[in-house]
Amino acid sequence: MKIILITKHYVKNYGSVLQTYASQELLSRKGGSVYVANYILPEASGLKYMDIILRKHTSGSRLKKMILRAVVLPTMIRWKYVFGGFLKQYLNVCGSPADNCEKLRAELADADIYCTGSDQVWNPETNRGLQPAYFCEFAPKGKKIVSLAASFGVKTVREEDKELIKKYLEKYSLLSVRESSGIDILAEAGMKGRMVLDPVMIETAGFWKKLAAKRKIRAEYVLVYQLNSSRAFDRYAEQAAERLGKKLVRICTRYDQILKNGRAVPVPTVEQWISLFYYADLVITDSFHGTVFSILFQKEFINLYPPLFSERLDSLLSMFGIEERHISDCSRFDILDKRIDYTKVNEILDEKRKESLEFIDEILAG
């Protein structure tokens, strides 16, 4: 049974490529022949992506932009090696690069099932609107269309988007989302769906351990994986490591971040990224997938929510009854003495994993 999976596989983000890989492997093991649609948002490639970074991290100063451009360019070359290499080695990407439904329709018309994958595929903010391709608008009429742990990434959508969402999703025979807020958005649009785990979490810790690189840091360490710039976050991580008497290690997603506090690990490979989580003694993060891997590897972790799109983190912690791992006060260090009850967490994870695998069985049935 041929399955076309469309998701944000091309984003230069560890969680994005890993959830794509997990989705592919889960559907394949259940009997599908999975092909990842080579859909790339124009903003996610080349110089356009560089311009987005420059706009985000400079205040319009020409000098600042020149300096940042000099740093971002080698980062982008490294990204191509790290993420492009992972996609080439592990993902079954099909078709030539496409940035619209017409191109996808021309090349991907012969599948049995079309599946919108996980990650923030339906986020109207980060995607600059609701993108038809992520709603499988390129699929031929009459084909089976489903979603696997899709995410809106926001708590609510604009009123004008609700009717469009309903129009796009009416053709789906099975709908699943990753967050409770997604269930609410579907309900507001008159649709029903189920909440399942992110594909990364449907896979086991053992699955990911096999992919991890060898241990890089021999000392005990506090790992920082930070996607949003925050001086308060930086100070908190440094003080937490000092209190614990452990080394502070920072995953840097760009080369300009190596000047931040802690031992820098600049743009590690995907396998090294997994390894850094596996061997950490404590994780401090504002990342959804950073939190997911912390839970999978049963790590003590502290979550500082990002300024935007924190609903997915809130939903994740609530699911496992560990909301206390989120702190909003960067003077709170009492959490360092508290331990997560992973017996309880694993019981919930096993049950949610079972439900999620049953949903995948439904995707491939009939």
Side-chain angles (χ1 to χ4, degrees), residues 22-38:
S23 300
Q24 173 186 280
E25 295 304 289
L26 287 162
L27 291 165
S28 296
R29 285 203 303 275
K30 290 289 188 177
S33 296
V34 185
Y35 300 85
V36 179
N38 201 6

Side-chain angles (χ1 to χ4, degrees), residues 199-246:
V200 166
M201 256 186 158
I202 301 175
E203 295 288 13
T204 64
F207 174 89
W208 296 114
K209 175 61 173 68
K210 290 178 183 177
L211 198 64
K214 292 182 179 179
R215 181 165 185 158
K216 186 177 181 68
I217 312 294
R218 290 296 165 188
E220 293 184 342
Y221 62 92
V222 173
L223 180 67
V224 168
Y225 182 52
Q226 178 187 9
L227 299 182
N228 300 273
S229 182
S230 166
R231 291 182 181 178
F233 185 118
D234 296 339
R235 287 194 299 270
Y236 183 85
E238 187 171 42
Q239 292 170 12
E242 287 177 357
R243 285 169 179 261
L244 293 172
K246 299 183 189 298

Side-chain angles (χ1 to χ4, degrees), residues 91-140:
L91 294 185
N92 190 16
V93 179
C94 68
S96 54
D99 60 4
N100 60 63
C101 285
E102 286 69 30
K103 291 180 181 178
L104 292 171
R105 190 177 295 115
E107 294 193 13
L108 306 175
D110 61 341
D112 300 293
I113 300 172
Y114 292 81
C115 179
T116 297
S118 190
D119 219 354
Q120 297 183 67
V121 285
W122 294 340
N123 189 324
E125 306 298 330
T126 59
N127 294 337
R128 299 193 175 189
L130 298 169
Q131 296 298 324
Y134 287 136
F135 290 88
C136 292
E137 284 292 286
F138 60 92

